[in-house]
């Protein structure tokens, strides 16, 4: 199948259906954008390199392909650029945070955990119960707003991705917070 004639949205739908040629073509279309975005950051004394940022950008593109929903109103390109930029920015921030952690704090983080297997099992059970409650008690817009918020998107970015107003995202997250307060 010749994929050059398809739009990004059509290629994404094919890729989501398992067409690897469509996913490869979409990746080929975005390689220069990913390289440009990765090159925009200047490494600070070995904190990261552009190849690593390029890989993070590709991971962002894969995430965009997997999560894109045309019903949200944004074009695939808009969603992909936001996802790629977010992934690269997060990688840069994480790299810089690692450099700023004092050695004494690193030693504390490397210390073995004293959590018992019982408390770990209770925590996993609680998390599973909350996830199940969220799946059943929240609407689609609430779940998607929450996932974007937890991924670090601002309200305005989430609204753009979801194709709704910022107020709709704020209201959805407010409803989710009220529902989550049941677990306190």
């Amino acid at each position: 199948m010749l994929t050059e004639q398809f739009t990004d949205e059509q290629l994404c739908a094919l890729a989501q259906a398992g067409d690897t040629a469509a996913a490869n073509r979409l990746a080929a279309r975005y390689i220069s954008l990913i390289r440009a975005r990765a090159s925009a950051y200047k490494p600070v004394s070995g904190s990261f390199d552009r190849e690593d940022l390029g890989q993070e950008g590709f991971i962002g593109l894969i995430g965009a392909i997997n999560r894109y929903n045309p019903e949200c109103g944004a074009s695939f390109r808009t969603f992909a650029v936001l996802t790629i930029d977010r992934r690269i920015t997060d990688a840069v921030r994480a790299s810089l945070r690692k450099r700023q952690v004092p050695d004494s704090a690193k030693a504390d983080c490397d210390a073995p955990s004293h959590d018992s297997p019982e408390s770990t099992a209770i925590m996993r059970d609680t998390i599973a119960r909350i996830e199940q409650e969220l799946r059943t008690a929240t609407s689609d817009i609430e779940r998607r707003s929450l996932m974007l918020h937890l991924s670090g998107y601002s309200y305005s970015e989430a609204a753009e991705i979801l194709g709704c107003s910022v107020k709709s995202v704020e209201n959805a997250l407010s409803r989710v917070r009220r529902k989550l307060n049941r677990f306190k």
Side-chain angles (χ1 to χ4, degrees):
M1 175 185 322
L2 293 174
T3 56
E4 282 78 20
Q5 60 195 0
F6 292 108
T7 65
D8 289 354
E9 289 77 8
Q10 290 168 327
L11 286 174
C12 183
L14 290 169
Q16 287 175 346
D19 185 339
T20 55
N24 290 339
R25 182 61 195 141
L26 208 47
R29 286 185 182 179
Y30 283 84
I31 191 167
S32 60
L33 180 133
I34 292 169
R35 285 183 181 151
R37 299 292 201 200
S39 295
Y41 293 92
K42 304 225 183 301
V44 180
S45 66
S47 58
F48 58 83
D49 66 24
R50 290 189 177 123
E51 283 184 34
D52 290 341
L53 295 182
Q55 290 174 359
E56 291 296 329
F58 272 110
I59 292 169
L61 178 62
I62 291 166
I65 291 170
N66 291 331
R67 293 189 322 263
Y68 177 69
N69 182 352
E71 294 174 6
C72 292
S75 70
F76 175 78
R77 182 173 183 79
T78 299
F79 182 71
V81 168
L82 282 171
T83 306
I84 291 164
D85 284 348
R86 178 71 58 190
R87 185 72 190 210
I88 291 172
T89 302
D90 287 349
V92 169
R93 285 181 184 150
S95 175
L96 293 174
R97 269 194 308 269
K98 285 179 187 174
R99 290 185 63 241
Q100 294 172 352
V101 175
D103 289 335
S104 60
K106 287 180 188 173
D108 291 342
C109 291
D110 293 337
S113 173
H114 297 290
D115 291 338
S116 69
E118 180 182 340
S119 64
T120 302
I122 291 170
M123 183 60 73
R124 282 190 187 139
D125 181 53
T126 303
I127 291 170
R129 199 168 41 89
I130 291 170
E131 287 175 342
Q132 178 60 35
E133 181 69 24
L134 279 174
R135 279 192 291 277
T136 58
T138 58
S139 68
D140 184 51
I141 185 93
E142 291 168 345
R143 276 190 306 280
R144 292 170 58 207
S145 295
L146 178 62
M147 290 302 110
L148 289 170
H149 179 67
L150 292 175
S151 297
Y153 289 90
S154 68
Y155 287 9
S156 58
E157 291 170 330
E160 184 176 343
I161 291 168
L162 295 172
C164 60
S165 69
V166 173
K167 190 65 176 170
S168 294
V169 171
E170 290 173 355
N171 289 340
L173 289 172
S174 178
R175 290 190 302 272
V176 169
R177 282 186 198 96
R178 279 195 307 271
K179 292 173 183 178
L180 285 174
N181 280 332
R182 290 187 240 161
F183 293 101
K184 283 187 175 181

